[in-house]
Each structure stands twice: as structure tokens, then as C-alpha cells.
Amino acid sequence: MSDVPISEHALLSDCRSAALVTNGGSVDWLCLPRFDSPPILSRLLDHSAGHFLIAPAAAGWTSTWRYLPHSLVLETTWSGPDGELVVTDAMALGRRERGHQVGHGSPGVLLRQAHCTRGSVPTRVEYVPRPEFGLIHPRFDRSDRAVVTYGGSHVLTLSTDLDLDLQNDAATALVTLTSGEKLAFALEQSSAWEPKPAPWRERKIRRRLTSTEKSWRSWSKLHQHYDGPLRDLVNRSGIVLRGLTFAPSGAMVAAATTSIPEGVGTGRTWDYRFTWVRDASMTMQGLFIAACPDEAKSFFSFLARSAATQLDRGLDLQIMFGIGGERDLTEREVPQLTGWRDSSPVRAGNGAWSQRQLDVYGSLLDAAYVLREQLGDMDEHTRMFLVASVDAAASRWHEDDQGIWEIRGPARPFLHSKLMCWVALDRGLSMVEQLRCEDRTADWTATREQIRHAIQSQGWSDEAGAFSQSFGSTDLDASVLLMAVVGFLPADDPRLLSTIDAVERALRDESGLLYRYRGDDGIDAPEGTFLLCTFWLAEALARTDQVDRARTVLVRAARCATGLGLLAEQVADDGQLLGNFPQAFSHLGLVNAAQALADAQRRAAGAGLAV
């Protein structure tokens, strides 16, 4: 079993794949060449499923870690009375890759460097690859300046000048480094039928680490202009969101991992290494990409290509795709892994791909509207795709679905889904000239008003004193807070203000964080509070000019970030982080809530109010 707390992991990314490193110096998760590839190191999900450790060999050393400024290059410093060891980790970006091109030329290589900066440090190296979710125990061979492993369809090459001891299916070493001495490693994967890649020399590893840091800084310089509350955490979130983007297609994964549970032993273990249309659409708005038209166009072109003729054939828009545009994401269990803290099953694929979720149309059109200047004169396929999405919302808004939370039970008339169909029509009407579909104006306007009337008449619960989770229900749901965000009602509407208060009272835990909902969702097991929902509360309060309350809620949720500024999906009663990590939606929620608070503070200052 693996039981390292989620908070004690750091993300590495090359905008194609990802690794997680523990604060104990072990790479416990690594997928190559893509985020959704079977991992070659997965001790995160089972103690015997592969890792790559570099750390002091004896006890008594203390460690601190940080990301180098404006990057995803990790630096861990081990200190003790006899010396100091600095380990630098990164997923290599392309050579001299800068700005918007970050990730497009990534070679698919994990880089690690250990540098003794003072005294002497006995250092332990353990390289234990276990490809295909730990199923393969490869054969080790020694090569010039490298250790090569064979097994399955791929070959792994670990470049290093260190003389590793090869024992069965592991490579280890115990070496004492003295001041100024370094060890360098480069791990890459290649197909078994291709020639072995040339080993990376130590000088090349060192140079590429420096270049990768510069690449990340160049991206940050172009993208990060936020100046407001929690600035450092907002900027870190922007880098994380970019790190969760698959650069070749523009798709964004919901998280870097699979099967970290939403509650220990609950069975709530899902694979998040895919792109959800809703999540990615909303995240595009949080990336501060005002100067980056290429990224917006790339994302919408990806969706248009992936969906292709679905809407034309009368099908629902698929809610999620593989990061290369794949549609079939059939879910399967991985029986050889016990799961994080024995929380099985471990899953690959996600059965939600075939669900109906009508809110995707609104998320998609809202993002297109926000990014309309970047999209400019869009290509014909993208234009037709967006028009078809509005038409789909107009024709299907009254139907039931599984909703934003992917309820694994009977379909329901979820209010959030109706609300986002209204958003699709509202934003489509605001873009009719750009979409070149003026002939639809009358029909779209009439349908938009039908949805508005239905939400106000059927979505309001006198008993709850709030807009409810679904038509005719008294249950509350945090997703209804988005009514304050999308402009459905004026900020001073009494029903909106009452809904915000009711949701906070009903869904808040003792620490002040919000659950998504309370009630049956088809799985008889509890889960933690949902960070995104708490950020939604902060944003709703800010947008209704409740500045002090918004600030309190935002700071409370932000305290759940790790020391490296990473956010998980959920938080347990004892404060432990839960769910796949790091979670894009949580980082997006932080960004949007902080921006909303900054805007509310400016409005208050302009009105002469104390902030």
C-alpha cells in the first residue's frame, strides 16, 4: 500500500506528460509519453509498482523544497550537520523552447540532478521501473553511460555516469558525494523495435535543466499579469494549469493522476487524465491569455476536430475526450494495484465518457464568448461546431441528464444543466455576427426566455428558500452558485442572495469548506468537501459585492493549498487532501475567485467604501 499524504507530492510536467515527486525524494508517478499513458512508475498506487529515489541514505536529514520562480522545476534541499544536498527535478522541455511554444517540442525525458553543496552526504539511489501499472518487471542491461530495461512494448533508458548495482529488477547505488560533486540522470522511453536513444551526458542534462527553467519563465512572462489578492498562489495556479495542458492538441487533463480516492475506502476512484469539455472550457478563461490567440484557437479547433459530426448526426456532444481527441474511454479496473491507502479499485479509462451532461454547451459557448477577440475570424469547422452547440442546447435543454457531478444514477432535471443551456443561447446571441448566423436570432431569443422562465418557476424552492439542485427538489447543490457568475440574475436579486446564504448554511462543514451536495448520488459512500465549490462561494460573494465575506471564504479555501501551491480536489474531515492531484478545476476556482474579489474591491473603492 502507498500512504504518502497527497500534500507531500510535487508536480512535474513537460506539457505532454507528468510526474509526481514526494518530499522524500522519490518519483512515485510517471507516465510517458502522454498524461494518459500507462505509468512506468506508480508507487503512488501500490508500494511495489515502481519508483525512482534520490535522497540521503541515513536518517536525521531535514528537507525543504520549492519550485524555482515561475516554473515547474523542483528544487529539494536536504540539510544535516555534515553537509547539504540539492536535488533538482524537471520534465525536459524542448531545446530553447520559449513562450507560446512551451511543450510543443518536449522530448519526453525526466531529468534529475543531485548536487552536494556543502560537506559530504551519503546518498541513496533506487531505480525500480514497473511499466504498465506495475504489471511488468523488466530485465536490466548495462550500456555505455546508461542502464537499459526491456519488457513489454517499450524500452526504458536511464542515462547516468553512476555505476548502479543491477539486482534482478532494480538498480541501486550508495555513494557519498562531497562538496561540488554532482550526479545526473535522464530517463526516457522508446519503442522496443526502434534503435536505442543515445545516452544523455551530464553536461547535456545540466544545460537542459537550465533551459527548461528559462522556458517556463518565458511562458510566465507572457501570460501572468494578475495583480490582486493571493497573487503568488494565482500565478502558481496559472503555471499548473499550463502544466496540465497537452501542448500538441491544446487539450487539458482534469488532473495528472488516476484513482486517488475521494474518500479512503469508498470506491470513489476515477481516472482524470482526460479532457472534459466543461472543465477545459472554463479553464481557458482562467489562463490570462489575452495576448495568446494561438492557444485559444488551438483549444477550440481540438474540440471541433474531436467532436467532428456528432452534433450533425443528432448525437449529444461527448462530455470528454482523450487528449489526442480519442472518443472511446472505456473504463476498466487494474487488479494488480491495491490503490492509495488500499483504496481500490484502481481504474484506467472513465465510464462517464458516455454520459449525457447538457451543461457542456454553456461552458463551451461561455469560453468562446470570453475569448471571442482571440478567436477572431475562426475557421469554418470551429464556427459550425459552435453554432451546432447552441442549436443543441436550444433543442435539448428541457431533457434530463446526469449533471455536472456525473451522478451514476437516474437522469434528473438538474438546474445547473438548464442554467448552462441558457448561457449557451445567451452567449450565442452575443456572437451572432461573428458566428455568421443572424438567421437564428429570433429562435434563440425565444428559447432563451423559455429557459429563464422554467428556471425561475420550477427551480425555486420556497421550502429551501433557494434555487434547488433540480426542478421540483428541495435539495441544495453548490453548482447553483454559478447563477451569480454567469449573469442570469442581477447581483442584488433577493432570490440570488438568499440562495447563496442557503447553500453556505446547508453545505458547509465545521471548517467552513463546502460539500458539492448532500444526498444520494448512486454511490453509498461519503466524500470530502469540494474545494472548487468553496471557491465558487467566494466568487459568488464577490460578484454580489459582499467583499468581506468573499475574502474570508477565499482565504479559508486557499489555506488548503500545499506548501508548493498545489490544490487537490477534496479535503477530508481531518484536513487531509483527497482526490486526483493536482486538480485543474480547483486551481481554476482559485484564479476566478481571486479575480472576482479584486474586481469587487475596485468597485468598492470606486464607491468610496472601505475594503
Side-chain angles (χ1 to χ4, degrees):
M1 154 178 108
S2 173
D3 62 356
V4 177
I6 301 306
S7 60
E8 296 178 8
H9 292 81
L11 170 73
L12 306 178
S13 170
D14 59 3
C15 300
R16 288 172 179 255
S17 56
L20 293 186
V21 188
T22 73
N23 64 359
S26 181
V27 180
D28 280 2
W29 181 258
L30 174 62
C31 297
L32 290 174
R34 300 185 358 166
F35 292 106
D36 55 356
S37 299
I40 61 175
L41 305 172
S42 53
R43 187 160 69 171
L44 175 70
L45 299 177
D46 191 296
H47 189 74
S48 63
H51 67 280
F52 182 9
L53 171 74
I54 303 175
W61 296 78
T62 60
S63 68
T64 59
W65 59 355
R66 64 169 186 144
Y67 284 117
L68 297 182
H70 309 293
S71 80
L72 283 179
V73 177
L74 181 70
E75 184 180 85
T76 305
T77 301
W78 300 84
S79 300
D82 298 323
E84 184 175 83
L85 182 71
V86 178
V87 178
T88 305
D89 294 315
M91 297 290 292
L93 294 175
R95 184 168 174 261
R96 289 195 291 271
E97 200 167 69
R98 300 292 184 265
H100 306 320
Q101 295 304 309
V102 161
H104 287 272
S106 300
V109 179
L110 170 69
L111 304 178
R112 310 199 73 186
Q113 177 182 269
H115 179 200
C116 181
T117 56
R118 175 176 58 84
S120 63
V121 184
T123 302
R124 178 73 176 173
V125 178
E126 295 176 358
Y127 171 56
V128 188
R130 293 287 185 270
E132 294 191 32
F133 286 100
L135 191 63
I136 295 174
H137 290 220
R139 173 172 58 85
F140 281 72
D141 280 349
R142 199 180 306 278
S143 181
D144 180 39
R145 298 179 180 273
V147 170
V148 183
T149 60
Y150 300 89
S153 62
H154 293 96
V155 173
L156 300 175
T157 301
L158 178 66
S159 300
T160 180
D161 290 334
L162 181 64
D163 185 17
L164 291 165
D165 181 19
L166 307 186
Q167 297 180 346
N168 298 324
D169 49 10
T172 62
L174 178 61
V175 57
T176 298
L177 297 179
T178 59
S179 183
E181 288 187 319
K182 297 178 180 179
L183 298 174
F185 304 87
L187 175 59
E188 57 189 314
Q189 177 178 274
S190 57
S191 297
W193 55 86
E194 294 176 341
K196 289 184 298 184
W200 287 49
R201 294 183 178 272
E202 181 177 330
R203 184 181 180 186
K204 180 179 179 180
I205 295 171
R206 186 169 63 251
R207 286 182 170 179
R208 189 59 65 88
L209 280 170
T210 299
S211 176
T212 295
E213 180 190 356
K214 290 180 178 178
S215 295
W216 278 114
R217 290 206 310 266
S218 72
W219 183 89
S220 296
K221 184 177 181 180
L222 286 175
H223 293 74
Q224 300 195 324
H225 310 292
Y226 171 79
D227 184 16
L230 303 177
R231 179 179 180 180
D232 289 345
L233 200 51
V234 167
N235 287 339
R236 173 54 52 191
S237 291
I239 295 171
V240 171
L241 291 172
R242 177 60 184 177
L244 294 174
T245 301
F246 185 63
S249 69
M252 177 175 292
V253 294
T257 60
T258 178
S259 302
I260 301 179
E262 296 170 357
V264 175
T266 63
R268 294 179 181 269
T269 52
W270 319 114
D271 193 346
Y272 275 17
R273 299 172 301 151
F274 308 109
T275 186
W276 272 254
V277 174
R278 172 188 56 249
D279 300 27
S281 297
M282 296 173 71
T283 301
M284 288 298 293
Q285 302 176 51
L287 271 176
F288 302 100
I289 59 172
C292 309
D294 291 345
E295 293 176 5
K297 286 187 175 181
S298 175
F299 169 68
F300 282 99
S301 295
F302 161 76
L303 287 181
R305 290 193 307 271
S306 301
T309 62
Q310 281 185 322
L311 296 176
D312 297 338
R313 291 182 291 138
L315 302 176
D316 289 319
L317 175 61
Q318 189 163 314
I319 68 164
M320 57 189 292
F321 297 93
I323 55 177
E326 299 84 1
R327 293 190 188 178
D328 187 349
L329 307 179
T330 299
E331 184 175 294
R332 65 182 177 88
E333 295 185 5
V334 183
Q336 67 268 21
L337 301 184
T338 59
W340 183 77
R341 296 191 175 175
D342 282 340
S343 293
S344 60
V346 170
R347 291 182 167 98
N350 194 307
W353 72 275
S354 59
Q355 284 190 355
R356 158 177 272 199
Q357 296 177 24
L358 298 175
D359 65 305
V360 296
Y361 304 112
S363 298
L364 182 65
L365 266 296
D366 196 35
Y369 176 73
V370 171
L371 301 168
R372 59 193 180 279
E373 292 184 8
Q374 286 78 12
L375 285 172
D377 187 15
M378 62 192 78
D379 67 82
E380 186 65 8
H381 291 296
T382 300
R383 185 192 71 82
M384 292 174 61
F385 170 62
L386 292 176
V387 172
S389 295
V390 183
D391 285 339
S395 64
R396 301 171 194 178
W397 70 268
H398 59 281
E399 299 174 6
D400 294 350
D401 70 343
Q402 260 63 46
I404 185 174
W405 306 128
E406 301 175 355
I407 303 297
R408 297 201 174 196
R412 306 177 197 173
F414 287 105
L415 187 146
H416 174 263
S417 297
K418 315 301 184 190
L419 173 68
M420 296 310 292
C421 285
W422 177 90
V423 170
L425 286 153
D426 185 73
R427 303 321 189 244
L429 284 165
S430 298
M431 297 176 65
V432 288
E433 293 184 4
Q434 188 174 8
L435 293 175
R436 303 195 296 280
C437 58
E438 290 88 345
D439 59 314
R440 287 171 166 81
T441 299
D443 288 342
W444 284 0
T445 299
T447 304
R448 180 183 62 177
E449 295 313 305
Q450 290 175 13
I451 301 174
R452 177 187 289 279
H453 176 73
I455 291 174
Q456 292 184 338
S457 61
Q458 300 178 57
W460 175 262
S461 167
D462 287 330
E463 181 180 339
F467 287 100
S468 60
Q469 183 182 59
S470 57
F471 284 4
S473 170
T474 59
D475 294 336
L476 296 180
D477 191 308
S479 65
V480 178
L481 292 169
L482 290 176
M483 296 183 85
V485 175
V486 300
F488 182 79
L489 291 172
D492 59 353
D493 188 290
R495 294 164 298 175
L496 177 60
L497 298 176
S498 177
T499 297
I500 294 172
D501 292 343
V503 167
E504 183 175 19
R505 284 195 306 270
L507 301 183
R508 182 177 57 191
D509 74 348
E510 292 182 358
S511 65
L513 303 177
L514 261 59
Y515 293 98
R516 294 186 287 184
Y517 47 77
R518 297 183 190 269
D520 179 41
D521 63 359
I523 302 176
D524 186 21
E527 64 175 356
T529 52
F530 213 79
L531 281 176
L532 174 63
C533 296
T534 310
F535 288 124
W536 278 347
L537 174 61
E539 184 174 4
L541 291 168
R543 288 179 177 267
T544 53
D545 292 320
Q546 302 178 71
V547 176
D548 290 340
R549 286 178 66 190
R551 185 188 299 110
T552 298
V553 173
L554 175 60
V555 171
R556 181 186 301 140
R559 288 187 183 131
C560 297
T562 70
L564 292 174
L566 303 180
L567 292 164
E569 182 181 36
Q570 299 186 17
V571 181
D573 292 342
D574 61 0
Q576 290 287 311
L577 301 184
L578 295 170
N580 286 306
F581 182 81
Q583 169 80 326
F585 233 172
S586 296
H587 283 278
L588 168 67
L590 168 75
V591 169
N592 286 345
Q595 183 65 65
L597 178 57
D599 293 341
Q601 288 175 337
R602 282 191 287 270
R603 288 195 299 271
L609 302 176
V611 294

